[in-house]
Amino acid sequence: MAPKEAYAELIKQTKEISTLGACQAVLEWDHQVNMPPGGAAMRAEQTSLLAGMIHEKFIDPKIGDLLSAVEDSDLVADTDSIEAANVREIRHSYDKETKLPKALVEEFNKTTALAHNEWAVARRENDFKKFEPWLVKIIDLAQRMAEAYGYEGEPYNALMDNYEPGATVAEVADVFEKVRIELVDLLGKINSSSVKPDVSIVERPYDVEKQKLFGEMIAMAMGYDFNEGRLDIATHPFTTDFGPGDTRITTRYNPKRLNDALFGTVHEAGHALYEMGIDKKTHFGTPVGESASLGIHESQSRMWENMVGRSQPFWRYFFPVAQRIFRDSLNGIAFDDFYAAINTVAPSYIRVEADEVTYNLHIMLRFEMERAMMQGDIKPADVPAAWNEKFKKYFGLNVENDANGCMQDVHWSAGLFGYFPTYALGNIYAAQFFAQAQKDLPDLDAQLEAGNMLALREWLRENIHRHGQRFRAKKLCERVTGAPLSHKPMMDYMNKKFGAIYKF
Ligand code: CO
């Protein structure tokens, strides 16, 4: 087949696969937002049937033949072209999917399905010994998968590549180590500061209907388009995307705390703007119609959540609005006290409740643990002791029980080794992108103070969103900021922001 025809057929196939994937996403959204409990068993059958169909279509040797017919042709000679990017990424996924033996995939799916329940019970009963045999099995499976994929250096490279294509453990470890050293130092200064923000300002009754109104107002001001989206309630908030014209967000409301839904909605709307900024009308179903990586995705949500949503300029505009909406809770509260309350830093055991500063330390601890587990340097039985030792070193806290320590996250029971680093990479990318946006948009602060967030949205769309997966994260970062990923922009941002709040 001529390269041009082969490419057209390849794209036709991937669009069909992605359309099946979009059907799966609709079912998953319904599962988390609307489905009555009684629907669970049938829903599992529906989604596993679809997953099987998608997998079969994707590993069809025909895809491999089509790829071979296009690769090395003139069509992909310009490695920065859309065609080259699509072929590169389809090849990458095809190779990964076809390298795993079917029996290994089945064993992995079966084991992790069972392990999830065992983990939930073990965590509830604070009994690591119960979870340990499952961790043994899952680590073994993950190691076998890494071997099947193949890797350079260490097995963790093969696993992290599933979420952050092209990133290497050595590079990530280098940036993380620099961040960790400076963060521990920053945290020490914050802990010894005499400034103690009054968090009770945001921890008092906040009417849920008004929270919803306020969240929608902010999402709209960010440029989230409710003609192409909607906001619903979910226990574990997420963003989902069904292709052009339908990108949905979810949040959860706490009637006694403002932060959960407020910053959760801003976070998810940040993810959604990324999806909405990709030209899906043209590129849906191809890699260029998808996000660059989980790290880049998280950079968008975290930038909106923290660098915009927890900034002074943003609240110069929205605090008076909030005071009018939540009159009972915010009447008479000073701006600086509110700003400090939403930016409180306090080391705590649970990652998902962590503040902006300590969050990254939670991730670095997990990254180090996972690498060592994959290398066999930390045996499953030694996980709690290793965890607690690192936790003491980074946070200065003694872990009293494993439920709040090494058993708190769902990821290991689900076999998601290599996923955690993308959260911290997101924060580091976010700061580097935001520093560049501030350079390119000198009046950005003034715009935010006027409640105008569309200039930033346009900048992100132009520089990041519209490219989809055309460039890998590393290259995207260099194109946008002129430099490789560095710990400096984030640490500059944090030292300046928290130095001002905690007065050091
Ligand atoms: Co996120």
Side-chain angles (χ1 to χ4, degrees):
M1 203 185 280
K4 219 174 154 191
E5 280 82 65
Y7 180 76
E9 180 59 24
L10 186 64
I11 295 303
K12 183 169 167 269
Q13 292 298 321
T14 60
K15 286 195 176 194
E16 279 184 22
I17 292 166
S18 297
T19 302
L20 284 170
C23 297
Q24 215 180 13
V26 176
L27 291 173
E28 185 54 30
W29 175 84
D30 177 75
H31 180 187
Q32 301 213 28
V33 172
N34 286 323
M35 194 185 75
M42 188 57 200
R43 183 55 45 88
E45 288 204 24
Q46 293 161 344
T47 47
S48 82
L49 178 64
L50 271 170
M53 287 166 70
I54 290 168
H55 182 69
E56 286 303 315
K57 260 181 104 63
F58 200 71
I59 60 163
D60 189 331
K62 192 168 89 184
I63 301 275
D65 294 342
L66 291 169
L67 281 167
S68 303
V70 185
E71 284 164 340
D72 303 323
S73 76
D74 286 349
L75 198 65
V76 295
D78 172 5
T79 52
D80 280 348
S81 70
I82 286 170
E83 290 82 2
N86 280 334
V87 170
R88 175 191 74 224
E89 295 304 332
I90 296 168
R91 165 61 76 188
H92 178 251
S93 313
Y94 177 77
D95 283 352
K96 284 209 117 171
E97 293 263 338
T98 50
K99 275 178 183 171
L100 292 184
K102 203 173 174 192
L104 181 57
V105 175
E106 282 170 1
E107 194 185 340
F108 180 84
N109 290 341
K110 214 172 109 189
T111 307
T112 50
L114 294 168
H116 180 83
N117 290 328
E118 299 294 328
W119 162 76
V121 171
R123 187 175 72 153
R124 194 165 59 236
E125 296 173 0
N126 186 31
D127 185 354
F128 178 79
K129 282 281 156 219
K130 250 187 191 158
F131 180 54
E132 191 189 312
W134 293 92
L135 193 56
V136 171
K137 282 184 200 157
I138 291 169
I139 290 173
D140 175 59
L141 281 162
Q143 284 167 334
R144 281 155 60 196
M145 284 171 136
E147 294 305 324
Y149 288 138
Y151 55 84
E152 280 174 32
E154 56 185 281
Y156 197 63
N157 266 315
L159 301 174
M160 199 173 71
D161 185 78
N162 285 338
Y163 312 103
E164 201 62 27
T168 69
V169 175
E171 287 166 338
V172 172
D174 180 54
V175 174
F176 278 13
E177 183 59 11
K178 290 177 177 133
V179 169
R180 188 182 63 75
I181 291 166
E182 291 202 27
L183 274 183
V184 170
D185 183 48
L186 173 62
L187 189 58
K189 287 181 189 156
I190 292 172
N191 283 341
S192 50
S193 164
S194 60
V195 178
K196 302 286 172 216
D198 176 9
V199 286
S200 79
I201 293 168
V202 284
E203 294 183 350
R204 53 182 65 169
Y206 282 89
D207 181 81
V208 166
E209 279 306 309
K210 289 178 181 173
Q211 285 194 49
K212 183 166 184 283
L213 183 85
F214 191 49
E216 285 175 349
M217 183 194 292
I218 291 173
M220 257 188 279
M222 289 166 62
Y224 179 80
D225 181 354
F226 279 86
N227 281 319
E228 301 195 346
R230 46 181 292 140
L231 171 64
D232 292 276
I233 295 172
T235 315
H236 303 288
F238 63 100
T239 296
T240 188
D241 175 80
F242 309 147
D246 197 345
T247 305
R248 304 184 188 188
I249 54 176
T250 58
T251 194
R252 68 169 165 216
Y253 298 97
N254 182 336
K256 288 190 179 148
R257 192 163 54 207
L258 185 63
N259 292 10
D260 304 31
L262 172 60
F263 296 112
T265 304
V266 175
H267 180 100
E268 299 306 332
H271 278 306
L273 290 184
Y274 187 8
E275 294 291 339
M276 287 170 158
I278 297 173
D279 180 5
K280 299 210 173 168
K281 286 198 174 69
T282 312
H283 296 299
F284 171 74
T286 71
V288 170
E290 287 164 16
S291 60
S293 72
L294 286 187
I296 298 297
H297 227 308
E298 196 67 5
S299 79
Q300 299 306 293
S301 55
R302 297 290 276 184
M303 182 191 298
W304 284 104
E305 178 190 350
N306 291 325
M307 283 144 212
V308 178
R310 284 186 164 93
S311 74
Q312 281 198 337
F314 176 92
W315 286 105
R316 291 279 173 222
Y317 181 83
F318 281 104
F319 185 58
V321 179
Q323 280 188 308
R324 287 198 293 277
I325 296 177
F326 306 106
R327 195 175 290 274
D328 294 343
S329 310
L330 291 176
N331 202 14
I333 300 293
F335 177 88
D336 287 346
D337 293 339
F338 177 80
Y339 175 68
I342 57 167
N343 282 299
T344 304
V345 176
S348 66
Y349 296 103
I350 307 294
R351 172 184 64 87
V352 296
E353 294 168 4
D355 57 74
E356 201 179 342
V357 172
T358 57
Y359 190 89
N360 293 301
L361 289 174
H362 284 276
I363 297 306
M364 279 144 206
L365 183 152
R366 286 156 177 79
F367 173 72
E368 291 167 17
M369 294 283 301
E370 288 191 344
R371 261 182 98 181
M373 283 191 260
M374 284 306 122
Q375 301 264 55
D377 293 340
I378 295 179
K379 303 274 176 264
D382 302 327
V383 162
W387 178 287
N388 298 352
E389 190 193 319
K390 282 182 191 293
F391 204 87
K392 176 79 180 171
K393 194 167 136 207
Y394 301 165
F395 294 82
L397 295 175
N398 292 312
V399 178
E400 305 290 339
N401 65 62
D402 297 331
N404 286 339
C406 65
M407 280 200 295
Q408 64 181 274
D409 293 304
V410 68
H411 299 62
W412 294 345
S413 72
L416 298 175
F417 285 89
Y419 192 113
F420 279 125
T422 68
Y423 294 123
L425 283 172
N427 290 327
I428 302 167
Y429 276 125
Q432 194 158 334
F433 290 148
F434 195 66
Q436 188 63 40
Q438 285 174 314
K439 266 187 220 152
D440 293 350
L441 304 169
D443 64 340
L444 181 58
D445 279 1
Q447 300 236 13
L448 295 177
E449 280 184 26
N452 181 4
M453 294 185 268
L454 296 182
L456 178 61
R457 203 269 314 252
E458 281 317 300
W459 186 91
L460 293 170
R461 194 163 263 194
E462 173 64 23
N463 289 287
I464 296 166
H465 301 172
R466 71 185 173 95
H467 296 305
Q469 218 176 347
R470 186 161 171 187
F471 310 108
R472 286 204 160 166
K474 226 188 286 185
K475 189 161 182 184
L476 182 69
C477 179
E478 291 190 17
R479 281 180 60 103
V480 176
T481 69
L485 185 67
S486 157
H487 69 294
K488 279 209 173 69
M490 188 176 81
M491 292 318 305
D492 287 348
Y493 155 78
M494 286 204 177
N495 285 319
K496 192 168 161 224
K497 176 174 179 176
F498 293 98
I501 294 171
Y502 285 91
K503 306 202 193 317
F504 52 79

